[in-house]
Amino acid sequence: MTLLLLFLLASLDGALCGFRTCMGRCPLIRKKGHYTIGVLRGVLAAQVVSGFSLICLLIVAAFARDPQLLRGDLEKSAVRMLFVFIPYTVLVLGNIALRVIPSTDIRSATSVFFLGPLTGIRPFVMIIGVLAGIWRAQLHETVFLGLFVLALMLSVEYVLNFYCSRLQQRQIRSLI
Amino acid sequence: MQPEISDLVVQHDPKTLIRLPVNKSEIAGIFERFENKKALRVIERIPAKDGLLDSIAVDRLMLTVHWEMQRLAEEFYHGRRVLQIVRATIEALHSNGLKGPIRIVDVGCGIGYTIRWLAARSALPQEGVELTGVDLNSTLINEANRLAAAEALPCRFFHGDAFSADLRGHMYISTGVLHHFRGDDLVAFLRRHNSETTQAFVHYDFQPWALAPFGSWFFHVIRMRTALARHDGVLSTARAHNADALVSAAQTAVPELASGIYGAKIWNTPAPRVFHALVGFRPELVPHLKQTLGRKMGELQ
């Protein structure tokens, strides 16, 4: 259950990364399609990361001396991570929900005062969350898996940004 | 006051509007005098041929920056904000007996976000309002026209002088243009509104206040990707004119219009908005506008 929750959070994070990385790269006015593709790209990237993580987990579990102990240790670590990730997610989703209010000032304020800074601290939240998870881990395997997943998740936005940037530059070169 | 990089890398002959070659070391020298290493790094990365900036590389960079800058307008719901005051002004014009089509001109429109937004999201074109944008940069105008055509938007963009006889309008709008004019140039720019046709102007720009430079820096670091957009965005806030300077310039330049500041405070609290607007209206429009816009409209002089 805990791992499933982490998977869902990773997918949501991927979706938001996908959305962010395609912002400012399409100058049309009506661009739902552009954003939809961006979000789907982000979700797909999160699935790839989750898939790699699962493969790595299975390999580590296959070679573990005590698979039951590893499973318990991973579960406890994941719970500790959720203590960091869930409040952050609630803050992000809460601010996105506030944008339903039809006020240009409230919508702009959520962007400037909350969503912007929350985006800025995202890498630190991820690092703190994973460190909180593996800090009291009993097994080296748990620490390794935590750091491996952290590296993968941090690379998602970088890779998506790189991809979208290449796409944008190709488009601009075709214009000029 | 330091110039913005974008003001220097693209230069035009003021009379013919022909693009002029830009000497790389010359503009680098300007920022060297200010010891502005960030600007120097941006200029250093722009390719040059025989000491002159490669115009194609500059155009590609400017397009990337303008695509990115549109995001800022989107996040601030700028289109909606402009629509509110434009609609109130048009109602005031109609109630004062102006018949026939009304032409809105976006001065220094860049890739024309505001005009394209109004064309896509409002009923103004169906109501006989002609939406146009004018800029000195032909690359940006070509892009604005391409984007409008791609979405079949009822608006047009022109390379030229927004105040010339063939392009002039009833209402002038702009976003982030005023701070580019320093000293007497601001009065000279506003003086160009002096025409029988001109009924109103609404010029949005950054509102300077104590935390604006920090806020702008933070926003640009988080949201903007190109170094030029980050540099010029932050500098724009520092270069922005305060309300007194803007109103005083407008009163000197166009005394026949009632001028003031619009939308400076959030819900009439002391909290400032990121943008405020220097506005000017024919005096007969003012009562209707005050009634429609209420406390958002400051004192008009």
Side-chain angles (χ1 to χ4, degrees):
Chain A
M1 183 62 195
T2 316
L3 289 178
L4 177 68
L5 204 53
L6 276 178
F7 165 73
L8 291 176
L9 288 179
S11 297
L12 177 66
D13 183 61
L16 293 175
C17 276
F19 185 77
R20 272 199 304 276
T21 49
C22 72
M23 280 183 92
R25 298 193 193 277
C26 173
L28 295 172
I29 302 295
R30 304 181 187 108
K31 49 187 166 193
K32 273 186 189 163
H34 172 76
Y35 286 136
T36 306
I37 290 170
V39 167
L40 290 176
R41 193 186 289 135
V43 173
L44 181 69
Q47 305 316 301
V48 172
V49 164
S50 301
F52 269 124
S53 305
L54 182 66
I55 291 167
C56 192
L57 173 71
L58 292 174
I59 292 170
V60 170
F63 291 99
R65 270 181 254 167
D66 187 345
Q68 282 304 318
L69 182 65
L70 176 64
R71 185 180 169 168
D73 201 34
L74 282 171
E75 284 270 347
K76 282 180 196 161
S77 293
V79 168
R80 287 193 292 269
M81 287 181 198
L82 289 178
F83 276 109
V84 176
F85 294 146
I86 286 182
Y88 177 76
T89 309
V90 168
L91 270 175
V92 172
L93 293 181
N95 275 288
I96 291 173
L98 271 178
R99 294 167 86 96
V100 173
I101 299 170
S103 157
T104 47
D105 286 323
I106 290 174
R107 287 172 174 182
S108 303
T110 57
S111 187
V112 176
F113 295 115
F114 299 103
L115 291 172
L118 285 169
T119 306
I121 64 168
R122 174 185 168 271
F124 304 104
V125 170
M126 293 195 129
I127 292 167
I128 291 167
V130 170
L131 287 182
I134 61 177
W135 194 254
R136 289 185 186 169
Q138 287 177 290
L139 303 171
H140 292 304
E141 290 92 326
T142 309
V143 174
F144 166 74
L145 281 169
L147 293 175
F148 180 71
V149 173
L150 174 66
L152 284 179
M153 285 308 292
L154 285 178
S155 65
V156 166
E157 188 150 10
Y158 177 81
V159 171
L160 288 175
N161 236 331
F162 182 76
Y163 175 76
C164 290
S165 169
R166 293 286 294 268
L167 217 60
Q168 183 190 10
Q169 285 312 310
R170 201 180 306 156
Q171 225 180 327
I172 286 177
R173 276 171 191 276
S174 73
L175 295 172
I176 300 173
Chain B
M1 185 65 78
Q2 291 196 47
E4 289 172 40
I5 301 169
S6 52
D7 285 339
L8 298 179
V9 293
V10 183
Q11 291 174 25
H12 297 91
D13 182 289
K15 283 181 185 164
T16 61
L17 300 184
I18 290 171
R19 179 100 168 250
L20 299 172
V22 178
N23 188 303
K24 186 170 180 173
S25 57
E26 225 169 72
I27 58 169
I30 293 170
F31 290 109
E32 264 165 22
R33 281 200 291 279
F34 289 103
E35 295 178 9
N36 185 339
K37 287 179 185 164
K38 280 183 187 166
L40 284 168
R41 274 198 295 272
V42 173
I43 290 163
E44 189 51 48
R45 275 188 230 133
I46 302 175
K49 285 175 192 162
D50 304 325
L52 302 175
L53 290 182
D54 177 358
S55 61
I56 291 176
V58 170
D59 285 346
R60 284 176 180 159
L61 177 63
M62 292 304 287
L63 223 51
T64 309
V65 167
H66 277 262
W67 282 22
E68 192 164 78
M69 269 166 41
Q70 182 170 314
R71 177 183 186 177
L72 193 142
E74 288 166 355
E75 290 208 32
F76 284 104
Y77 293 85
H78 190 60
R80 280 172 210 271
R81 293 177 196 275
V82 174
L83 177 60
Q84 192 181 18
I85 190 162
V86 163
R87 184 158 285 295
T89 309
I90 288 167
E91 282 170 13
L93 287 169
H94 284 148
S95 71
N96 274 276
L98 185 84
K99 292 192 172 91
I102 294 171
R103 183 185 246 201
I104 297 176
V105 180
D106 187 352
V107 187
C109 65
I111 59 169
Y113 171 74
T114 309
I115 288 294
R116 286 186 292 115
W117 191 95
L118 292 172
R121 304 278 192 220
S122 79
L124 293 176
Q126 290 79 36
E127 294 165 15
V129 177
E130 194 186 346
L131 298 168
T132 66
V134 181
D135 204 288
L136 298 177
N137 187 323
S138 59
T139 306
L140 299 181
I141 285 298
N142 289 341
E143 175 66 350
N145 277 318
R146 181 189 75 84
L147 293 167
E151 294 187 278
L153 301 176
C155 56
R156 291 185 300 162
F157 298 94
F158 303 94
H159 176 227
D161 176 2
F163 302 99
S164 60
D166 51 336
L167 298 178
R168 69 169 58 136
H170 298 91
M171 183 177 184
Y172 292 96
I173 62 172
S174 75
T175 306
V177 167
L178 291 183
H179 69 265
H180 290 276
F181 297 100
R182 317 301 306 174
D184 294 342
D185 287 348
L186 179 62
V187 175
F189 167 74
L190 292 168
R191 197 164 274 145
R192 303 219 52 211
H193 293 70
N194 257 327
S195 148
E196 275 182 25
T197 331
T198 306
Q199 299 295 315
F201 62 78
V202 179
H203 295 301
Y204 278 89
D205 208 346
F206 291 107
Q207 178 168 200
W209 66 291
L211 293 178
F214 172 75
S216 174
W217 170 81
F218 188 74
F219 184 88
H220 282 84
V221 165
I222 298 287
R223 292 287 196 242
M224 297 292 162
R225 301 180 186 102
T226 50
L228 192 153
R230 285 182 178 180
H231 175 274
D232 282 6
V234 176
L235 195 58
S236 295
T237 326
R239 282 161 55 94
H241 300 288
N242 65 33
D244 289 342
L246 290 173
V247 175
S248 156
Q251 282 171 341
T252 309
V254 268
E256 60 273 31
L257 298 187
S259 52
I261 294 291
Y262 167 78
K265 306 286 181 198
I266 299 174
W267 303 326
N268 225 24
T269 64
R273 286 198 171 88
V274 173
F275 286 95
H276 60 173
L278 173 68
V279 293
F281 303 101
R282 293 273 166 206
E284 58 271 24
L285 304 178
V286 173
H288 190 282
L289 282 162
K290 286 216 162 185
Q291 200 183 346
T292 319
L293 297 169
R295 57 191 185 182
K296 259 191 165 180
M297 181 67 75
E299 279 300 306
L300 292 173
Q301 291 155 17

